[in-house]
Amino acid sequence: MRVVERINDVRSTVKEWKSQGLKVGFVPTMGYLHEGHESLIKKASEENDKVVVSIFVNPIQFGPKEDLASYPRDLKRDSEICERAGANLIFHPENEEMYFNDFSTFVDMNGLTNGLCGKSRPIHFRGVCTVVSKLFNIVAPDRAYFGEKDAQQLAVVKRMVRDLNIDVEIVGCPIVREEDGLAKSSRNTYLSEEERAAATILNKSLMLGKEEIQNGQRNSASIIKIIEDSIKSEKLARIDYVEIVDSSSLEKVEEINISSIKDFPNHPFKVINDEKMQEMVKSVKEYGVILPVIVRPKEDGTYEMISGHRRKRACELAGIKQIRCIVKDLTDDEATILMVDSNIQREEILPSEKAFAYKLKLEAMKHQ
Ligand code: PAF
């Protein structure tokens, strides 16, 4: 295994591998590796011919009051872990190699990065997206491996790769935990003995939430309250946020009574009780509604269906009273555009329905 500091050395090595038809896996890290990283490297080496690990504490993803200076570093130990786990190359650049003095191009993302951790770390994901896209350009891997512990980061990277057409497969890997349930993290070293013991409350509380869901609870607010109450029982713990969101859109998911969801006014697509609907009813009875519908809240406390009229009808026919919903705050025009966009690709739409839908969308776009 080699350790290199220069972009050109990574490029020439990977080019050589690719000329031999070899597949390249990539694990981006900030070093101070633990068993979580080790599991990513092992998976990468199982699924690829060669593995590159980057070790770079990326300054632009740290806010001014965050822990850039104190972030733990130990290249010697990291190299041993990489070698043991099957890495072939470590890329360990200095800041100057990654960022010119007048560096001025960033990858910024709307929406997905605003909530959850993004709320208290406003520049964090801009820094992550920028460095990860640079690293993808440098390494040009076939697959890249990220931990599910940083669930928002995983969703953001997947979205970035989709939006920017980056030719890499993103692989999410399960969390590795200590015996008492605490997720492994390089930052666990910051904890005093007392804080370390208190930190187990996080996993314990999540497990209570999970148990609640397994017992059939589908009301987000009740599940969140159980988790919050449990975390608050630990005096050293402070809650930043507890939210239940869709794992790829990161939007809030709630179980809502079907009776309080009204159809979209002027909805151009007819919901027909045909053979396909009967199949959907059967599937909903057996598996529930897998893909949540999209609704927007109305002032009177009810909701308006944006995407999911057929799923809602299938639930009604199956005698199901509640449905999983992504709740989005949308203006009338935004709602119209999303309603049209999320239906227009369906095969069975009539030309007349399509024409009317496009007319609605055009009107809405004119107002924007
Ligand atoms: O998860 C991390 O360690 C970092 O955010 C990453 C992906 C290596 C980018 O600096």
Side-chain angles (χ1 to χ4, degrees):
M1 188 193 69
R2 284 171 65 212
V3 183
V4 300
E5 295 189 350
R6 298 270 176 232
I7 292 171
N8 280 344
D9 290 334
V10 180
R11 285 209 164 122
S12 56
T13 308
V14 172
K15 216 170 171 181
E16 172 64 28
W17 289 338
K18 290 204 166 173
S19 72
Q20 298 167 28
L22 302 177
K23 291 279 175 210
V24 178
F26 175 45
V27 183
T29 81
M30 297 205 301
Y32 213 70
L33 306 181
H34 49 69
E35 285 91 334
H37 297 110
E38 199 171 340
S39 74
L40 302 182
I41 303 168
K42 279 188 182 150
K43 185 147 173 69
S45 84
E46 277 161 27
E47 295 183 350
N48 302 275
D49 302 304
K50 297 287 180 187
V51 176
V52 181
V53 178
S54 65
I55 297 179
F56 177 59
V57 183
N58 173 38
I60 66 165
Q61 72 186 67
F62 288 78
K65 292 194 184 125
E66 293 183 14
D67 55 343
L68 173 62
S70 57
Y71 198 86
R73 290 158 169 90
D74 189 343
L75 182 62
K76 189 169 171 291
R77 195 175 143 273
D78 287 349
S79 305
E80 285 161 13
I81 293 175
C82 286
E83 178 124 53
R84 186 168 75 211
N88 303 90
L89 184 71
I90 292 180
F91 176 43
H92 180 244
E94 294 290 334
N95 286 351
E96 295 69 30
E97 182 73 2
M98 290 296 281
Y99 297 111
F100 290 103
N101 280 338
D102 58 353
F103 181 85
S104 47
T105 309
F106 294 86
V107 179
D108 214 348
M109 185 182 289
N110 292 327
L112 235 55
T113 59
N114 299 345
L116 307 178
C117 294
K119 227 182 252 172
S120 54
R121 306 186 74 188
I123 61 144
H124 175 69
F125 288 110
R126 184 174 93 138
V128 170
C129 286
T130 303
V131 81
V132 170
S133 57
K134 280 167 69 70
L135 290 166
F136 285 169
N137 282 332
I138 294 164
V139 178
D142 296 285
R143 299 187 189 89
Y145 296 77
F146 290 82
E148 288 171 352
K149 172 170 73 65
D150 302 307
Q152 188 172 15
Q153 171 169 278
L154 179 58
V156 164
V157 169
K158 281 185 177 165
R159 178 68 64 90
M160 177 184 81
V161 162
R162 185 201 74 176
D163 286 355
L164 300 183
N165 308 97
I166 304 178
D167 192 11
V168 58
E169 182 191 335
I170 302 302
V171 185
C173 302
I175 299 177
V176 177
R177 296 182 180 279
E178 304 284 355
E179 262 179 30
D180 61 5
L182 181 67
K184 303 247 180 193
S185 164
S186 312
R187 287 184 166 108
N188 286 349
T189 51
Y190 296 159
L191 301 173
S192 68
E193 211 173 299
E194 205 190 349
E195 288 164 342
R196 169 65 188 78
T200 55
I201 195 66
L202 274 183
N203 187 45
K204 282 183 199 142
S205 308
L206 286 174
M207 288 305 119
L208 285 179
K210 182 176 174 184
E211 216 177 283
E212 202 54 19
I213 295 166
Q214 282 169 339
N215 290 337
Q217 179 59 270
R218 290 292 180 272
N219 181 288
S220 297
S222 318
I223 301 163
I224 289 173
K225 176 142 187 356
I226 285 168
I227 296 173
E228 281 180 346
D229 287 350
S230 165
I231 298 176
K232 282 179 194 159
S233 72
E234 169 52 65
K235 66 179 187 337
L236 288 180
R238 301 273 173 282
I239 295 179
D240 189 0
Y241 61 83
V242 178
E243 284 184 30
I244 296 182
V245 297
D246 177 72
S247 62
S248 58
S249 70
L250 303 185
E251 281 161 321
K252 283 188 190 160
V253 180
E254 287 177 38
E255 199 79 13
I256 293 176
N257 275 333
I258 287 178
S259 59
S260 56
I261 307 174
K262 310 274 176 282
D263 284 352
F264 195 86
N266 264 339
H267 186 242
F269 310 109
K270 283 208 179 60
V271 178
I272 306 168
N273 203 348
D274 55 6
E275 209 176 302
K276 280 205 169 148
M277 176 58 76
Q278 290 313 318
E279 276 169 24
M280 197 184 270
V281 172
K282 203 167 151 236
S283 144
V284 158
K285 272 187 187 159
E286 206 166 340
Y287 306 110
V289 173
I290 293 160
L291 186 69
V293 302
I294 303 175
V295 298
R296 68 168 175 159
K298 304 290 287 173
E299 271 174 12
D300 62 2
T302 64
Y303 297 86
E304 189 172 276
M305 183 65 85
I306 307 293
S307 168
H309 290 82
R310 285 167 54 76
R311 279 165 280 168
K312 178 181 162 220
R313 174 66 60 79
C315 285
E316 283 164 351
L317 293 170
I320 293 169
K321 302 263 177 295
Q322 294 198 316
I323 191 164
R324 273 196 325 141
C325 301
I326 292 176
V327 182
K328 277 177 178 269
D329 282 313
L330 298 167
T331 63
D332 290 350
D333 291 328
E334 286 167 347
T336 302
I337 293 168
L338 183 57
M339 180 274 294
V340 173
D341 285 350
S342 46
N343 281 289
I344 205 81
Q345 303 302 340
R346 289 205 338 254
E347 279 167 19
E348 67 275 18
I349 289 175
L350 298 172
S352 56
E353 291 178 335
K354 224 174 215 181
F356 183 48
Y358 276 132
K359 187 166 168 273
L360 287 178
K361 182 173 172 181
L362 190 66
E363 283 305 317
M365 285 169 74
K366 276 189 203 158
H367 305 149
Q368 288 194 322

